[in-house]
Amino acid sequence: MGHKVGNTEGNSGEIREPAIVVSDVHLGSESCNYKQFCDFLVWIRSLDGRKETIKCEGKELVITHPEKFILLGDILELWDPKDGDRDNVVKQSIRPFSLLSDLRCEKIYVIGNHDDAIHRYDEKIDYETLHNDTTLNVCNRHYPEEKTGIKNIKIGERSYFFIHGHQYDKGQKILATVSRLTGQRWNPLNWFQILFNIPFTKNNWIINSLVFLALVFGGWYFWAVALKPNFGYTLIWAALTGFFALSSIPGIITKTQRKFYDAKKPKDKTAEQIIEDEYYQEQKDTVVADVIVFGHTHFASSYVGKKKLFINSGCWVGEDSIIDDKQRYTNTFVYIDENGAYILKWSKGKIACIESFPVSKG
Ligand SMILES: [Mn+2]
């Protein structure tokens, strides 16, 4: 095993063995490539004590077991799970997390926007020791975290910084601003999502919405015509109406929110588009690293600019497709060793090289 991060003298954490990065698995969502992701984890486990050599842009790449496995955000789909039901997230998480915990390496879970609901675990899970003496660390916004005093992770000659990437996204600005002003995470859709996942609401939201409407309109009739204004009845009517409003409206919103997200998300943008289309604000960037690895846009790609190399780790949802004349691959991951970084694709047990960023020698 290589060196452990925790070097308090320098500003870099350093590792000697590779790191593997995945993002945007969206476990529990409609289009998550759950089975392929599990197979991929089994393959990583099989690298223990074994090497796999592939061809990457004319050169040989020797893949070995990682020292760090970085989950770079949106691993869980807590905003828009299949059928709005968070039980689907639990169902699709048991196997991946059991495979993950078995891996003989350090696991870093960086929280994205779709799994922001678990941000409290940032403080609760800090280098938690698992059954095989490896550690799990949950990071709120990026890795490494500020509180460690470590600015970046050095692998070979390059320094790396890992961030989910919604920080570069205009569409996420309003949420971030309100959260900063109120001092608490603000996400109205998440609030409705949680209310929807109360079993009584989840199972009966349609009938509840009919009861709600009947109470609203029936209430007017009884109040004005049949009973005449009466404080006691009005109070009961108001309480019942409120209860059924809370038991139906979250269902209606949860079931229609996908349209809202689809219209708003900057999905499928390349690293270049995200960095150059004003998403990325240079003056606010205080990251000290040669390479920024991020996800969020579901487009495995790279960009050199702003004196940095940006690598997008892609996603594990949907199929390979052509977007704006560019080939977009899914089921991708970033492999980093002392010789450079690589965007690779997992495809039925075969590893394909999408792009490579070797450290220039000499
Ligand atoms: Mn995201």
Side-chain angles (χ1 to χ4, degrees), residues 24 26 73-74 112-114 164-166 295-298:
D24 300 87
H26 293 270
D74 289 3
N113 51 330
H114 286 250
H164 174 61
H166 61 290
H296 183 60
T297 73
H298 296 193

Side-chain angles (χ1 to χ4, degrees), residues 27 34 37-38 41 92-101:
L27 291 169
Y34 162 78
F37 185 64
C38 290
L41 294 174
Q92 288 202 338
S93 299
I94 293 168
R95 189 159 142 75
F97 279 92
S98 112
L99 288 166
L100 266 167
S101 73

Side-chain angles (χ1 to χ4, degrees), residues 122-310:
D122 167 33
E123 287 114 51
K124 291 183 179 153
I125 303 178
D126 239 5
Y127 291 99
E128 199 85 12
T129 305
L130 305 175
H131 64 100
N132 51 2
D133 284 336
T134 62
T135 53
L136 169 68
N137 185 26
V138 174
C139 299
N140 189 359
R141 289 271 170 250
H142 47 73
Y143 175 72
E145 295 172 286
E146 281 121 358
K147 63 182 177 194
T148 58
I150 295 166
K151 292 264 189 277
N152 53 52
I153 301 297
K154 203 135 198 255
I155 307 170
E157 285 163 38
R158 280 193 187 133
S159 55
Y160 293 83
F161 188 81
F162 305 90
I163 185 164
H164 174 61
H166 61 290
Q167 294 84 349
Y168 303 145
D169 182 349
K170 275 186 220 158
Q172 305 292 325
K173 272 265 163 64
I174 309 160
L175 289 181
T177 306
V178 177
S179 300
R180 205 185 55 240
L181 292 174
T182 59
Q184 50 188 298
R185 301 301 178 94
W186 182 76
N187 184 342
L189 291 174
N190 185 50
W191 185 78
F192 284 112
Q193 179 84 65
I194 290 166
L195 286 179
F196 174 68
N197 273 272
I198 294 164
F200 178 72
T201 309
K202 194 158 73 182
N203 299 332
N204 309 300
W205 67 276
I206 296 173
I207 188 91
N208 289 351
S209 58
L210 297 176
V211 175
F212 169 60
L213 290 174
L215 279 166
V216 169
F217 294 109
W220 276 114
Y221 172 78
F222 281 109
W223 191 76
V225 183
L227 295 170
K228 304 290 182 244
N230 172 310
F231 183 71
Y233 283 125
T234 305
L235 207 63
I236 294 168
W237 168 76
L240 276 173
T241 307
F243 174 75
F244 280 97
L246 283 172
S247 308
S248 61
I249 294 168
I252 297 164
I253 291 182
T254 299
K255 293 291 177 181
T256 52
Q257 68 177 14
R258 182 171 292 123
K259 290 189 187 74
F260 173 82
Y261 282 133
D262 285 348
K264 279 205 53 128
K265 65 183 146 193
K267 223 176 141 180
D268 305 324
K269 279 192 188 295
T270 61
E272 174 169 6
Q273 286 168 314
I274 274 284
I275 303 308
E276 286 299 317
D277 294 353
E278 297 167 47
Y279 285 93
Y280 174 82
Q281 290 175 299
E282 200 172 0
Q283 70 276 14
K284 280 194 181 171
D285 179 18
T286 52
V287 174
V288 182
D290 305 320
V291 186
I292 293 184
V293 183
F294 72 106
H296 183 60
T297 73
H298 296 193
F299 205 131
S301 54
S302 66
Y303 180 61
V304 178
K306 320 282 181 190
K307 296 175 199 140
K308 286 187 175 82
L309 166 63
F310 293 85

